[in-house]
Amino acid sequence: MTIRPSVLVTRAVFDDVLERLRAHFDVETNDRDEVYPRAELIARLAGKDGALTTGSERIDEEVLAASPRLRVVSNIAVGYNNFDMAAFDKRGVLGTNTPDVLTETTADFGFALMMSAARRMAESEHFLRRGEWTKWSLTMFAGTDVHGATLGILGMGRIGQAIARRGALGFGMPVIYHNRSRLDPSIEKALNARYVSKTELLQQADHLVLVVPYSPASHHAIGAPELGLMKPSATLTNIARGGVVDDAALARALAAGQLAAAGLDVFEGEPSVNPALLGLPNVVLTPHIASATLATRRAMAHLACDNLIAGLGCGPHAGQPPTPINPRVLSPRPD
Ligand code: 8YV
């Protein structure tokens, strides 16, 4: 009798995803759907061959060292800053993520958040709910236009390009962007996009959207000096990761009128949110939901499931997970 691989699913997922996993593996689930305290995560992973994780679990050298059987960790997220990829490589563990399936949904949300900040939707809605709307006036909640304004994008990957497309084609926005590498000129043309330095991006954008992956290099990419370069009429939207923005510096800049408004879906130390932000009217705050439509969350969970099944050598695509982060660990190593 062959022994079935055993896997840990760290958070509640869809029943049909669990069914697919149970066809191949012994599956331990987290029915309470609470994030495991670190010691419990380590204890539960010991002896497992694979894991289905979310961005809430940090998988690093300490975790991998304590789980010597672990071969695949499949993240239900496109971002994988919760994985220490150097430790994965060192230990020959495959990490996988869920790109593409969330691109358009996340871009929709980024655009909506930017529009909410620019047009003061959350602020005016709170005003109305508080019963303060007693008369109309010409400049009541007058915001800044989105159509025709300059859209700035920091990080021009798949999601950045999808946001640029919405701005250029739907709202007639000239697009400027800064990225590690320049796009192909044909893509720049199609997106009405111009590559600029980071300084120019900050100085010229009317609406700046952050879509850059988190890494030590992007930590506090937007802090006090950068905010100081932005137009007082500009908005800033962060759908990238907490830590890309210095939230305390942003709160100070918003309070001082250094920029008009912000839309934030991600936060340093989330689910905690800097109290200085909570007290400000000109920031729209959402709880990391940019990819949260049922269809997209299902697609992400199923793609993560495909990765785990194939990564552990099962199913029709055994050994060929669709979206590996470090496929180098899949090829046999020279002795
Ligand atoms: C996830 C995300 O929902 O994919 C990402 O990188 O930020 C979100 O789509 C979140 O990370 C939960 O894993």
PDB file of all heavy atoms in Angstrom, residues 9 20 31 42 69 74 99 104 118 120 141 161 166 177-178 183 196 202 207 225 241 248 267 269 279 285-286 313 328:
ATOM      1  N   VAL A   9      -4.000  22.601   5.144  1.00  0.00           N
ATOM      2  CA  VAL A   9      -4.675  23.764   4.548  1.00  0.00           C
ATOM      3  C   VAL A   9      -4.845  24.761   5.687  1.00  0.00           C
ATOM      4  O   VAL A   9      -5.593  24.508   6.635  1.00  0.00           O
ATOM      5  CB  VAL A   9      -6.035  23.365   3.936  1.00  0.00           C
ATOM      6  CG1 VAL A   9      -6.730  24.584   3.344  1.00  0.00           C
ATOM      7  CG2 VAL A   9      -5.836  22.281   2.863  1.00  0.00           C
ATOM      8  N   ARG A  20     -11.088  18.125  -4.017  1.00  0.00           N
ATOM      9  CA  ARG A  20     -10.024  17.829  -4.999  1.00  0.00           C
ATOM     10  C   ARG A  20      -8.741  17.411  -4.284  1.00  0.00           C
ATOM     11  O   ARG A  20      -8.040  16.507  -4.723  1.00  0.00           O
ATOM     12  CB  ARG A  20      -9.755  19.052  -5.881  1.00  0.00           C
ATOM     13  CG  ARG A  20     -10.897  19.385  -6.834  1.00  0.00           C
ATOM     14  CD  ARG A  20     -10.508  20.545  -7.736  1.00  0.00           C
ATOM     15  NE  ARG A  20      -9.302  20.260  -8.476  1.00  0.00           N
ATOM     16  CZ  ARG A  20      -8.443  21.179  -8.900  1.00  0.00           C
ATOM     17  NH1 ARG A  20      -8.645  22.440  -8.648  1.00  0.00           N
ATOM     18  NH2 ARG A  20      -7.368  20.813  -9.566  1.00  0.00           N
ATOM     19  N   ASP A  31     -10.692  24.475  10.464  1.00  0.00           N
ATOM     20  CA  ASP A  31     -12.112  24.805  10.373  1.00  0.00           C
ATOM     21  C   ASP A  31     -12.467  26.087  11.117  1.00  0.00           C
ATOM     22  O   ASP A  31     -13.466  26.729  10.807  1.00  0.00           O
ATOM     23  CB  ASP A  31     -12.961  23.622  10.859  1.00  0.00           C
ATOM     24  CG  ASP A  31     -12.699  22.391  10.010  1.00  0.00           C
ATOM     25  OD1 ASP A  31     -12.429  22.576   8.800  1.00  0.00           O
ATOM     26  OD2 ASP A  31     -12.728  21.252  10.543  1.00  0.00           O
ATOM     27  N   ILE A  42       3.945  25.796  13.017  1.00  0.00           N
ATOM     28  CA  ILE A  42       5.147  24.959  12.910  1.00  0.00           C
ATOM     29  C   ILE A  42       4.811  23.523  13.334  1.00  0.00           C
ATOM     30  O   ILE A  42       5.168  22.556  12.643  1.00  0.00           O
ATOM     31  CB  ILE A  42       6.301  25.569  13.745  1.00  0.00           C
ATOM     32  CG1 ILE A  42       6.788  26.860  13.068  1.00  0.00           C
ATOM     33  CG2 ILE A  42       7.443  24.572  13.938  1.00  0.00           C
ATOM     34  CD1 ILE A  42       7.839  27.642  13.834  1.00  0.00           C
ATOM     35  N   ARG A  69       9.926  17.221   5.720  1.00  0.00           N
ATOM     36  CA  ARG A  69       9.240  16.502   4.629  1.00  0.00           C
ATOM     37  C   ARG A  69       8.623  17.441   3.592  1.00  0.00           C
ATOM     38  O   ARG A  69       8.254  17.017   2.492  1.00  0.00           O
ATOM     39  CB  ARG A  69       8.100  15.646   5.208  1.00  0.00           C
ATOM     40  CG  ARG A  69       8.544  14.408   5.954  1.00  0.00           C
ATOM     41  CD  ARG A  69       7.302  13.695   6.451  1.00  0.00           C
ATOM     42  NE  ARG A  69       6.449  13.278   5.351  1.00  0.00           N
ATOM     43  CZ  ARG A  69       6.410  12.043   4.857  1.00  0.00           C
ATOM     44  NH1 ARG A  69       7.174  11.121   5.382  1.00  0.00           N
ATOM     45  NH2 ARG A  69       5.611  11.739   3.867  1.00  0.00           N
ATOM     46  N   SER A  74       1.920  26.145  -1.393  1.00  0.00           N
ATOM     47  CA  SER A  74       1.137  26.781  -2.449  1.00  0.00           C
ATOM     48  C   SER A  74       0.346  27.936  -1.849  1.00  0.00           C
ATOM     49  O   SER A  74      -0.544  27.729  -1.028  1.00  0.00           O
ATOM     50  CB  SER A  74       0.216  25.717  -3.054  1.00  0.00           C
ATOM     51  OG  SER A  74      -0.692  26.312  -3.932  1.00  0.00           O
ATOM     52  N   PRO A  99      -0.872  34.006  -9.995  1.00  0.00           N
ATOM     53  CA  PRO A  99      -0.943  35.169 -10.875  1.00  0.00           C
ATOM     54  C   PRO A  99      -2.089  35.050 -11.893  1.00  0.00           C
ATOM     55  O   PRO A  99      -2.717  33.984 -12.000  1.00  0.00           O
ATOM     56  CB  PRO A  99       0.410  35.140 -11.587  1.00  0.00           C
ATOM     57  CG  PRO A  99       0.813  33.703 -11.570  1.00  0.00           C
ATOM     58  CD  PRO A  99       0.258  33.130 -10.304  1.00  0.00           C
ATOM     59  N   GLU A 104      -7.595  41.242 -13.406  1.00  0.00           N
ATOM     60  CA  GLU A 104      -8.642  42.210 -13.787  1.00  0.00           C
ATOM     61  C   GLU A 104      -9.479  42.621 -12.574  1.00  0.00           C
ATOM     62  O   GLU A 104      -9.841  43.791 -12.427  1.00  0.00           O
ATOM     63  CB  GLU A 104      -9.528  41.624 -14.905  1.00  0.00           C
ATOM     64  CG  GLU A 104      -8.772  41.292 -16.193  1.00  0.00           C
ATOM     65  CD  GLU A 104      -8.092  42.503 -16.845  1.00  0.00           C
ATOM     66  OE1 GLU A 104      -8.606  43.629 -16.701  1.00  0.00           O
ATOM     67  OE2 GLU A 104      -7.030  42.323 -17.480  1.00  0.00           O
ATOM     68  N   ALA A 118     -10.594  60.189  -5.049  1.00  0.00           N
ATOM     69  CA  ALA A 118     -10.637  61.433  -5.834  1.00  0.00           C
ATOM     70  C   ALA A 118     -11.989  62.128  -5.692  1.00  0.00           C
ATOM     71  O   ALA A 118     -12.060  63.352  -5.604  1.00  0.00           O
ATOM     72  CB  ALA A 118     -10.340  61.136  -7.305  1.00  0.00           C
ATOM     73  N   ARG A 120     -14.231  61.613  -3.275  1.00  0.00           N
ATOM     74  CA  ARG A 120     -14.608  61.749  -1.851  1.00  0.00           C
ATOM     75  C   ARG A 120     -15.851  60.935  -1.488  1.00  0.00           C
ATOM     76  O   ARG A 120     -16.722  61.388  -0.752  1.00  0.00           O
ATOM     77  CB  ARG A 120     -14.777  63.239  -1.533  1.00  0.00           C
ATOM     78  CG  ARG A 120     -13.531  64.022  -1.901  1.00  0.00           C
ATOM     79  CD  ARG A 120     -13.667  65.498  -1.675  1.00  0.00           C
ATOM     80  NE  ARG A 120     -13.768  65.838  -0.263  1.00  0.00           N
ATOM     81  CZ  ARG A 120     -13.874  67.088   0.195  1.00  0.00           C
ATOM     82  NH1 ARG A 120     -13.855  68.091  -0.643  1.00  0.00           N
ATOM     83  NH2 ARG A 120     -13.981  67.327   1.475  1.00  0.00           N
ATOM     84  N   PHE A 141     -18.202  68.725  -0.984  1.00  0.00           N
ATOM     85  CA  PHE A 141     -17.442  67.527  -1.359  1.00  0.00           C
ATOM     86  C   PHE A 141     -16.902  67.586  -2.790  1.00  0.00           C
ATOM     87  O   PHE A 141     -16.851  66.573  -3.472  1.00  0.00           O
ATOM     88  CB  PHE A 141     -18.268  66.246  -1.115  1.00  0.00           C
ATOM     89  CG  PHE A 141     -18.459  65.986   0.346  1.00  0.00           C
ATOM     90  CD1 PHE A 141     -19.709  66.159   0.934  1.00  0.00           C
ATOM     91  CD2 PHE A 141     -17.399  65.622   1.141  1.00  0.00           C
ATOM     92  CE1 PHE A 141     -19.874  65.972   2.295  1.00  0.00           C
ATOM     93  CE2 PHE A 141     -17.554  65.428   2.503  1.00  0.00           C
ATOM     94  CZ  PHE A 141     -18.795  65.603   3.083  1.00  0.00           C
ATOM     95  N   GLN A 161      -0.585  47.237 -15.537  1.00  0.00           N
ATOM     96  CA  GLN A 161      -0.994  47.425 -16.934  1.00  0.00           C
ATOM     97  C   GLN A 161      -2.520  47.390 -17.075  1.00  0.00           C
ATOM     98  O   GLN A 161      -3.095  48.126 -17.880  1.00  0.00           O
ATOM     99  CB  GLN A 161      -0.361  46.354 -17.825  1.00  0.00           C
ATOM    100  CG  GLN A 161       1.138  46.566 -17.982  1.00  0.00           C
ATOM    101  CD  GLN A 161       1.802  45.467 -18.793  1.00  0.00           C
ATOM    102  OE1 GLN A 161       1.286  45.031 -19.821  1.00  0.00           O
ATOM    103  NE2 GLN A 161       2.953  45.010 -18.330  1.00  0.00           N
ATOM    104  N   ARG A 166      -7.486  50.647 -18.098  1.00  0.00           N
ATOM    105  CA  ARG A 166      -8.752  51.269 -17.690  1.00  0.00           C
ATOM    106  C   ARG A 166      -8.660  52.793 -17.792  1.00  0.00           C
ATOM    107  O   ARG A 166      -9.568  53.459 -18.278  1.00  0.00           O
ATOM    108  CB  ARG A 166      -9.086  50.860 -16.240  1.00  0.00           C
ATOM    109  CG  ARG A 166      -9.678  49.473 -16.163  1.00  0.00           C
ATOM    110  CD  ARG A 166      -9.499  48.860 -14.781  1.00  0.00           C
ATOM    111  NE  ARG A 166     -10.125  47.547 -14.721  1.00  0.00           N
ATOM    112  CZ  ARG A 166      -9.656  46.444 -15.290  1.00  0.00           C
ATOM    113  NH1 ARG A 166      -8.533  46.502 -15.989  1.00  0.00           N
ATOM    114  NH2 ARG A 166     -10.287  45.302 -15.206  1.00  0.00           N
ATOM    115  N   TYR A 177       4.486  56.025 -15.796  1.00  0.00           N
ATOM    116  CA  TYR A 177       4.786  54.900 -14.900  1.00  0.00           C
ATOM    117  C   TYR A 177       6.269  54.827 -14.602  1.00  0.00           C
ATOM    118  O   TYR A 177       7.106  55.316 -15.352  1.00  0.00           O
ATOM    119  CB  TYR A 177       4.282  53.574 -15.491  1.00  0.00           C
ATOM    120  CG  TYR A 177       5.116  53.036 -16.640  1.00  0.00           C
ATOM    121  CD1 TYR A 177       6.075  52.039 -16.427  1.00  0.00           C
ATOM    122  CD2 TYR A 177       4.960  53.525 -17.934  1.00  0.00           C
ATOM    123  CE1 TYR A 177       6.837  51.541 -17.472  1.00  0.00           C
ATOM    124  CE2 TYR A 177       5.718  53.032 -18.983  1.00  0.00           C
ATOM    125  CZ  TYR A 177       6.660  52.044 -18.747  1.00  0.00           C
ATOM    126  OH  TYR A 177       7.421  51.568 -19.779  1.00  0.00           O
ATOM    127  N   HIS A 178       6.555  54.184 -13.464  1.00  0.00           N
ATOM    128  CA  HIS A 178       7.944  53.869 -13.134  1.00  0.00           C
ATOM    129  C   HIS A 178       7.983  52.404 -12.719  1.00  0.00           C
ATOM    130  O   HIS A 178       7.087  51.921 -12.036  1.00  0.00           O
ATOM    131  CB  HIS A 178       8.464  54.760 -12.014  1.00  0.00           C
ATOM    132  CG  HIS A 178       9.919  54.548 -11.744  1.00  0.00           C
ATOM    133  ND1 HIS A 178      10.895  54.983 -12.607  1.00  0.00           N
ATOM    134  CD2 HIS A 178      10.556  53.900 -10.739  1.00  0.00           C
ATOM    135  CE1 HIS A 178      12.078  54.633 -12.127  1.00  0.00           C
ATOM    136  NE2 HIS A 178      11.906  53.961 -11.006  1.00  0.00           N
ATOM    137  N   LEU A 183       8.458  48.972 -20.388  1.00  0.00           N
ATOM    138  CA  LEU A 183       7.603  48.110 -21.205  1.00  0.00           C
ATOM    139  C   LEU A 183       8.072  48.180 -22.647  1.00  0.00           C
ATOM    140  O   LEU A 183       8.706  49.161 -23.061  1.00  0.00           O
ATOM    141  CB  LEU A 183       6.158  48.598 -21.152  1.00  0.00           C
ATOM    142  CG  LEU A 183       5.416  48.534 -19.822  1.00  0.00           C
ATOM    143  CD1 LEU A 183       4.048  49.176 -19.971  1.00  0.00           C
ATOM    144  CD2 LEU A 183       5.269  47.079 -19.385  1.00  0.00           C
ATOM    145  N   VAL A 196       8.769  57.230 -16.817  1.00  0.00           N
ATOM    146  CA  VAL A 196       9.393  58.413 -16.200  1.00  0.00           C
ATOM    147  C   VAL A 196      10.211  57.971 -14.981  1.00  0.00           C
ATOM    148  O   VAL A 196      10.054  56.842 -14.497  1.00  0.00           O
ATOM    149  CB  VAL A 196       8.334  59.457 -15.747  1.00  0.00           C
ATOM    150  CG1 VAL A 196       7.611  60.079 -16.932  1.00  0.00           C
ATOM    151  CG2 VAL A 196       7.338  58.850 -14.759  1.00  0.00           C
ATOM    152  N   LEU A 202       6.192  61.088  -9.132  1.00  0.00           N
ATOM    153  CA  LEU A 202       5.614  61.698  -7.927  1.00  0.00           C
ATOM    154  C   LEU A 202       5.196  63.147  -8.201  1.00  0.00           C
ATOM    155  O   LEU A 202       4.143  63.592  -7.744  1.00  0.00           O
ATOM    156  CB  LEU A 202       6.640  61.657  -6.783  1.00  0.00           C
ATOM    157  CG  LEU A 202       6.929  60.250  -6.260  1.00  0.00           C
ATOM    158  CD1 LEU A 202       8.279  60.201  -5.556  1.00  0.00           C
ATOM    159  CD2 LEU A 202       5.826  59.795  -5.313  1.00  0.00           C
ATOM    160  N   HIS A 207      -3.151  61.183 -10.013  1.00  0.00           N
ATOM    161  CA  HIS A 207      -3.611  60.042  -9.216  1.00  0.00           C
ATOM    162  C   HIS A 207      -2.529  58.971  -9.313  1.00  0.00           C
ATOM    163  O   HIS A 207      -2.263  58.454 -10.399  1.00  0.00           O
ATOM    164  CB  HIS A 207      -4.948  59.515  -9.748  1.00  0.00           C
ATOM    165  CG  HIS A 207      -6.007  60.569  -9.775  1.00  0.00           C
ATOM    166  ND1 HIS A 207      -6.524  61.129  -8.627  1.00  0.00           N
ATOM    167  CD2 HIS A 207      -6.620  61.200 -10.812  1.00  0.00           C
ATOM    168  CE1 HIS A 207      -7.421  62.047  -8.946  1.00  0.00           C
ATOM    169  NE2 HIS A 207      -7.493  62.120 -10.275  1.00  0.00           N
ATOM    170  N   PRO A 225       9.681  61.975   2.245  1.00  0.00           N
ATOM    171  CA  PRO A 225      10.291  62.732   1.142  1.00  0.00           C
ATOM    172  C   PRO A 225       9.511  62.600  -0.160  1.00  0.00           C
ATOM    173  O   PRO A 225       9.343  63.565  -0.903  1.00  0.00           O
ATOM    174  CB  PRO A 225      11.689  62.105   0.991  1.00  0.00           C
ATOM    175  CG  PRO A 225      11.917  61.294   2.225  1.00  0.00           C
ATOM    176  CD  PRO A 225      10.588  60.949   2.795  1.00  0.00           C
ATOM    177  N   ARG A 241       1.115  46.374  -1.092  1.00  0.00           N
ATOM    178  CA  ARG A 241       1.315  45.706   0.186  1.00  0.00           C
ATOM    179  C   ARG A 241       1.536  46.765   1.251  1.00  0.00           C
ATOM    180  O   ARG A 241       2.110  47.823   0.957  1.00  0.00           O
ATOM    181  CB  ARG A 241       2.574  44.824   0.165  1.00  0.00           C
ATOM    182  CG  ARG A 241       2.387  43.419  -0.363  1.00  0.00           C
ATOM    183  CD  ARG A 241       1.569  42.542   0.572  1.00  0.00           C
ATOM    184  NE  ARG A 241       1.387  41.196   0.050  1.00  0.00           N
ATOM    185  CZ  ARG A 241       0.404  40.819  -0.776  1.00  0.00           C
ATOM    186  NH1 ARG A 241      -0.487  41.681  -1.186  1.00  0.00           N
ATOM    187  NH2 ARG A 241       0.322  39.558  -1.188  1.00  0.00           N
ATOM    188  N   ALA A 248       2.509  56.124   8.725  1.00  0.00           N
ATOM    189  CA  ALA A 248       2.534  57.262   9.656  1.00  0.00           C
ATOM    190  C   ALA A 248       2.847  58.546   8.891  1.00  0.00           C
ATOM    191  O   ALA A 248       2.209  59.591   9.112  1.00  0.00           O
ATOM    192  CB  ALA A 248       3.571  57.020  10.745  1.00  0.00           C
ATOM    193  N   PHE A 267      -2.012  47.640   4.585  1.00  0.00           N
ATOM    194  CA  PHE A 267      -1.507  48.442   5.695  1.00  0.00           C
ATOM    195  C   PHE A 267      -0.284  47.792   6.316  1.00  0.00           C
ATOM    196  O   PHE A 267      -0.188  46.561   6.364  1.00  0.00           O
ATOM    197  CB  PHE A 267      -2.603  48.575   6.763  1.00  0.00           C
ATOM    198  CG  PHE A 267      -3.878  49.142   6.203  1.00  0.00           C
ATOM    199  CD1 PHE A 267      -4.841  48.308   5.631  1.00  0.00           C
ATOM    200  CD2 PHE A 267      -4.076  50.512   6.187  1.00  0.00           C
ATOM    201  CE1 PHE A 267      -5.991  48.840   5.060  1.00  0.00           C
ATOM    202  CE2 PHE A 267      -5.230  51.048   5.619  1.00  0.00           C
ATOM    203  CZ  PHE A 267      -6.192  50.206   5.060  1.00  0.00           C
ATOM    204  N   GLY A 269       1.480  46.183   9.113  1.00  0.00           N
ATOM    205  CA  GLY A 269       1.035  45.490  10.324  1.00  0.00           C
ATOM    206  C   GLY A 269      -0.431  45.090  10.299  1.00  0.00           C
ATOM    207  O   GLY A 269      -1.020  44.854  11.353  1.00  0.00           O
ATOM    208  N   GLY A 279      -8.469  58.271  11.953  1.00  0.00           N
ATOM    209  CA  GLY A 279      -9.083  59.542  12.336  1.00  0.00           C
ATOM    210  C   GLY A 279      -9.210  60.537  11.196  1.00  0.00           C
ATOM    211  O   GLY A 279      -9.758  61.621  11.401  1.00  0.00           O
ATOM    212  N   LEU A 285     -10.527  53.541   3.449  1.00  0.00           N
ATOM    213  CA  LEU A 285      -9.827  52.384   4.024  1.00  0.00           C
ATOM    214  C   LEU A 285     -10.636  51.107   3.772  1.00  0.00           C
ATOM    215  O   LEU A 285     -11.809  51.046   4.142  1.00  0.00           O
ATOM    216  CB  LEU A 285      -9.662  52.588   5.535  1.00  0.00           C
ATOM    217  CG  LEU A 285      -9.007  53.899   5.974  1.00  0.00           C
ATOM    218  CD1 LEU A 285      -9.202  54.136   7.468  1.00  0.00           C
ATOM    219  CD2 LEU A 285      -7.521  53.881   5.641  1.00  0.00           C
ATOM    220  N   THR A 286     -10.003  50.117   3.174  1.00  0.00           N
ATOM    221  CA  THR A 286     -10.691  48.830   2.954  1.00  0.00           C
ATOM    222  C   THR A 286      -9.769  47.695   3.425  1.00  0.00           C
ATOM    223  O   THR A 286      -8.541  47.823   3.384  1.00  0.00           O
ATOM    224  CB  THR A 286     -11.058  48.637   1.461  1.00  0.00           C
ATOM    225  OG1 THR A 286      -9.894  48.833   0.655  1.00  0.00           O
ATOM    226  CG2 THR A 286     -12.146  49.608   1.027  1.00  0.00           C
ATOM    227  N   GLY A 313       3.383  15.805  -7.370  1.00  0.00           N
ATOM    228  CA  GLY A 313       3.530  14.673  -8.291  1.00  0.00           C
ATOM    229  C   GLY A 313       2.249  13.899  -8.530  1.00  0.00           C
ATOM    230  O   GLY A 313       2.296  12.713  -8.887  1.00  0.00           O
ATOM    231  N   ARG A 328      13.176  26.341 -10.469  1.00  0.00           N
ATOM    232  CA  ARG A 328      14.535  25.777 -10.433  1.00  0.00           C
ATOM    233  C   ARG A 328      14.638  24.580  -9.498  1.00  0.00           C
ATOM    234  O   ARG A 328      15.447  23.701  -9.714  1.00  0.00           O
ATOM    235  CB  ARG A 328      15.556  26.848 -10.052  1.00  0.00           C
ATOM    236  CG  ARG A 328      15.155  27.667  -8.825  1.00  0.00           C
ATOM    237  CD  ARG A 328      15.927  28.968  -8.713  1.00  0.00           C
ATOM    238  NE  ARG A 328      15.383  29.770  -7.611  1.00  0.00           N
ATOM    239  CZ  ARG A 328      14.492  30.732  -7.783  1.00  0.00           C
ATOM    240  NH1 ARG A 328      14.037  31.009  -9.000  1.00  0.00           N
ATOM    241  NH2 ARG A 328      14.031  31.419  -6.756  1.00  0.00           N
TER     242      ARG A 328
END
